[in-house]
Amino acid sequence: MRIRDLPYPDPGLPDVRSGTRFLVWLGRNQLGGQIKAALWGLLHMAALVCFPLAIGFGVQAVVDRSGSRLALAGAMMVGLTVLTALGDAMLHRAAVTNWITAAARVQQLLARKTVELGSALTRRVAAGEVVAVSTGDVEKIGWFVEALSRFTAAALTTVGLCVALVIYQPALGVVVALGVPALALSVLPLLPRAARRADEQREKAGRATELASDTVAGLRVLRGIGGEDLFLSRYRRASQEVRTAAVRSARMWSLIAAVQVALPGMLLIGVVWYGAVLAGNGRITVGELVTVYSAVTFLLFPLRHFEEIAMAYSFSRPSARRAARVLALRRPSAEIADARAAGPGTGPASGPGEKLPAGDLYDPATGMLAPSGQLTAVVCGDPDVAGRMADRLGGHPTEDGAESGDGGGAPSALLGGVALDEVPLAAARAAVLVQDKDPVLLSGTLTELLDVPRSGAVPARKALEAAQCGDVLEALGLASVADSGDRDPMGALITERGRSLSGGQRQRLALARSLVTDPEVLVLDEPTSAVDSHTEARIGEALKRLRTGRTTVMFTSSPLLLDQADRVVFVHDGVAAGVGSHRELLSTDPAYRAVVTREPDDVQEQDGARGGLAERERIAEQIEESA
């Protein structure tokens, strides 16, 4: 695999049964790259291995006063230098390629899983853990994949050199062949403790990342309630715990490194002493002693790769375990084959000739029905219930909130009698579009923001008009003049998450983006909560007009939007408790009236004690007069 082949057309279906199995799966999918890197590593290390032979040959030539053999030894050294440089350069290139391609594969898998699960991902896994997996853990996994090929080359070269020394000089070769495995295994008793300390460091770092992510996400609220200092002090303590754990882990790894230096040094001293005794007795020549000495010196190089692979595995195993835990999440009722049939999930288009589900939208958990082609408003007293309902309507069964009586744990919605969580992901996304109450605007120009998969029936101009984005376009036009001298607002840059815009402006641009898509079913969760009442009324009228003949569901408690709905469903205590028009429910359902008008509970109790009849008649008369 070459870097220019990235991203993968399909990153594959990972083995997520454990972190180790996930690492094995990654290595198996990059077998060609691993073999290529190992072969270049063998060339590099084999050339280094041959240097002792050339040096010993040259020393013996000097002892024997042979000029031709000395010249041959020099030529051998030049050739070995070229091969060493070539092998080292190509090994580095191939190993880094393996690192980058492994990291890219993991990132693609995480992106596909994020798109597949949508907003349900952060309710099943902490947002900080997702961030940690997609950043630091990806690097650790790539490091292990990269180090594996170098370790393979070092291990093969070490075995080959030990065998060659036994054949070349049995007396010294046997000492080296027995001493090198002992050196390689000497650090094994230290590895479990080092791995535990590395795991502890990773866990503490993950918790600190989660705390930082949560603090940044809620910084505005924290400042409002005066809790900023409290959370900063918590993060300060968490970061200090990470520092302490990192120091403890580094001490253990430095001990392993010291052992890997001290023991080979002792072996080298022993070989030199024993070789000098043999040379003094005439059992070996000076050239043979220099050759064996140089070979043992070389063995210090591959032994460092043994230390590196042990460290890389210890750090990457918990990272792979966390990545596997995230990648193991899936749509509860969907088969893996469906998810793969949907591809990487980067676009909502369905397969060729695939018929999308259509018809009435029904939530079996609450009994809410949104007839096809109508604008249905849903009123919920609890925003969390509304959020879970929106997820189910988008094909994501909720797994939390089952005890709250809101239908948590129920399957996803039915569209035309077909469960959305049982159809391929692309088909579900093409049929139903859900806009969260806090939509995200990606950085880029307004043209790029509205460049989304669409039917083509709603141009960007109409969508912006329906979302009442006139003042937003004017502001973006002025910004565009300041940036490039061009007054075209479509070319104006929007900063990350739309931070340069107000909350209402971001909300309206997000609504325009949803309207441009023109899905068969559009689910809007509080689409105008940050908009003033005058603009909200115009959005309601334009939305109804633009979405004529399409199914639209709005979660809202705004009377201005409710009055535009063809049908209003009141969800109370987790079930659809009332159905009708806004004015009908306002005059007949005290609980609905309390949610819509923000009427206090004590007023409801007083109204119930009086029977509420006179009050309802008065409201009905006012509605008729205003009509």
Side-chain angles (χ1 to χ4, degrees):
M1 179 62 69
R2 298 164 296 181
I3 294 179
R4 62 173 174 266
D5 294 328
L6 299 175
Y8 295 98
D10 181 6
L13 190 64
D15 187 346
V16 294
R17 289 174 290 178
S18 67
T20 302
R21 289 178 182 272
F22 181 63
L23 290 175
V24 171
W25 177 84
L26 276 177
R28 188 170 64 247
N29 278 271
Q30 290 184 215
L31 189 59
Q34 292 289 343
I35 292 176
K36 182 186 298 185
L39 290 177
W40 285 117
L42 281 174
L43 175 63
H44 168 61
M45 295 184 188
L48 287 176
V49 165
C50 292
F51 261 103
L53 181 62
I55 293 173
F57 187 75
V59 170
Q60 192 62 42
V62 172
V63 172
D64 297 338
R65 300 182 180 275
S66 174
S68 59
R69 287 160 54 190
L70 182 61
L72 179 60
M76 290 174 58
M77 292 182 184
V78 172
L80 291 174
T81 300
V82 173
L83 292 178
T84 300
L86 175 63
D88 190 22
M90 298 306 296
L91 169 62
H92 180 73
R93 177 185 177 90
V96 171
T97 300
N98 288 336
W99 184 335
I100 294 175
T101 50
R105 186 187 297 273
V106 176
Q107 288 176 331
Q108 277 189 262
L109 290 170
L110 291 171
R112 184 173 70 177
K113 184 60 61 176
T114 301
V115 173
E116 178 186 335
L117 295 177
S119 60
L121 174 62
T122 52
R123 287 197 301 272
R124 301 170 70 179
V125 180
E129 182 170 355
V130 177
V131 173
V133 171
S134 59
T135 53
D137 287 339
V138 168
E139 292 296 318
K140 298 296 187 300
I141 293 171
W143 177 29
F144 173 75
V145 173
E146 180 234 5
L148 186 60
S149 56
R150 291 203 303 269
F151 166 73
T152 302
L156 293 176
T157 305
T158 300
V159 172
L161 180 58
C162 290
V163 172
L165 286 177
V166 171
I167 297 175
Y168 176 72
Q169 180 45 251
L172 288 176
V174 170
V175 175
V176 175
L178 294 177
V180 169
L183 294 178
L185 298 176
S186 61
V187 297
L188 288 183
L190 301 176
L191 288 180
R193 181 177 298 181
R196 284 195 299 270
R197 292 190 178 184
D199 290 348
E200 179 184 356
Q201 178 191 353
R202 299 265 70 78
E203 291 175 3
K204 290 183 180 296
R207 286 197 294 269
T209 302
E210 293 175 16
L211 182 59
S213 177
D214 294 341
T215 302
V216 172
L219 192 57
R220 181 177 300 178
V221 177
L222 291 175
R223 286 175 175 171
I225 63 176
E228 183 179 3
D229 292 338
L230 174 62
F231 272 78
L232 288 178
S233 63
R234 289 180 180 178
Y235 178 74
R236 190 177 295 110
R237 287 195 301 270
S239 64
Q240 289 301 313
E241 290 178 0
V242 174
R243 184 190 67 82
T244 302
V247 170
R248 294 182 70 248
S249 178
R251 286 174 179 170
M252 183 55 63
W253 287 111
S254 63
L255 176 61
I256 293 176
V259 170
Q260 290 283 53
V261 172
L263 293 184
M266 295 175 62
L267 175 64
L268 186 61
I269 293 173
V271 168
V272 171
W273 175 81
Y274 184 53
V277 172
L278 294 178
N281 295 333
R283 296 177 58 184
I284 62 173
T285 64
V286 175
E288 290 175 337
L289 175 59
V290 172
T291 299
V292 175
Y293 169 79
S294 302
V296 174
T297 304
F298 161 78
L299 285 176
L300 301 180
F301 175 68
L303 284 176
R304 286 197 294 269
H305 289 294
F306 297 167
E307 174 195 348
E308 181 189 18
I309 196 65
M311 182 182 295
Y313 179 72
S314 298
F315 276 85
S316 65
R317 185 168 54 86
S319 297
R321 186 167 58 245
R322 278 196 294 268
R325 184 165 57 246
V326 173
L327 295 176
L329 301 175
R330 52 194 294 261
R331 302 170 70 203
S333 300
E335 297 296 331
I336 295 179
D338 292 338
R340 293 198 67 189
T346 55
S350 58
E354 183 178 353
K355 185 178 180 180
L356 300 179
D360 297 342
L361 183 64
Y362 176 70
D363 179 23
T366 60
M368 191 282 299
L369 176 67
S372 176
Q374 293 188 17
L375 174 59
T376 302
V378 180
V379 177
C380 292
D382 186 350
D384 293 334
V385 175
R388 287 192 286 268
M389 281 188 64
D391 285 338
R392 289 197 298 270
L393 294 180
H396 296 291
T398 55
E399 297 183 352
D400 54 349
E403 298 177 357
S404 62
D406 61 9
S412 69
L414 305 178
L415 181 58
V418 179
L420 288 174
D421 62 337
E422 294 180 356
V423 301
L425 180 61
R429 292 287 169 82
V432 182
L433 173 65
V434 178
Q435 177 179 305
D436 295 334
K437 66 180 64 178
D438 186 20
V440 175
L441 301 182
L442 301 179
S443 59
T445 65
L446 184 55
T447 300
E448 294 170 340
L449 175 69
L450 300 178
D451 185 17
V452 293
R454 64 182 76 181
S455 66
V458 180
R461 178 182 57 81
K462 284 188 176 181
L464 291 168
E465 289 177 357
Q468 303 301 309
C469 294
D471 62 319
V472 184
L473 294 177
E474 183 177 353
L476 291 176
L478 294 176
S480 180
V481 170
D483 292 338
S484 61
D486 185 3
R487 195 177 176 81
D488 181 15
M490 302 302 292
L493 291 176
I494 298 175
T495 57
E496 181 186 4
R497 301 180 69 90
R499 299 187 189 279
S500 59
L501 305 172
S502 67
Q505 290 174 330
R506 289 196 301 268
Q507 203 168 53
R508 283 178 282 163
L509 285 179
L511 178 60
R513 180 178 58 186
S514 299
L515 294 176
V516 164
T517 304
D518 188 37
E520 184 64 32
V521 179
L522 176 61
V523 179
L524 303 172
D525 190 0
E526 295 289 352
T528 59
S529 59
V531 177
D532 63 85
S533 58
H534 182 65
T535 305
E536 187 177 40
R538 290 188 295 173
I539 288 176
E541 296 172 358
L543 182 63
K544 183 175 181 178
R545 184 170 56 251
L546 186 64
R547 292 286 300 172
T548 300
R550 296 285 199 180
T551 305
T552 307
V553 179
M554 288 189 304
F555 288 87
T556 182
S557 59
S558 169
L560 296 172
L561 295 182
L562 293 171
D563 211 28
Q564 296 293 332
D566 299 316
R567 173 188 177 94
V568 177
V569 179
F570 176 47
V571 177
H572 185 61
D573 290 336
V575 296
V579 179
S581 69
H582 167 57
R583 300 189 180 193
E584 290 173 351
L585 293 175
L586 193 65
S587 62
T588 60
D589 193 329
Y592 174 84
R593 185 170 64 253
V595 173
V596 173
T597 63
R598 278 72 169 178
E599 189 175 279
D601 292 340
D602 56 352
V603 175
Q604 293 184 57
E605 294 173 359
Q606 295 172 9
D607 181 61
R610 295 193 306 264
L613 179 60
E615 183 71 13
R616 286 195 295 271
E617 289 177 350
R618 185 179 63 81
I619 294 175
E621 289 174 359
Q622 291 179 353
I623 293 174
E624 290 177 0
E625 290 175 0
S626 62

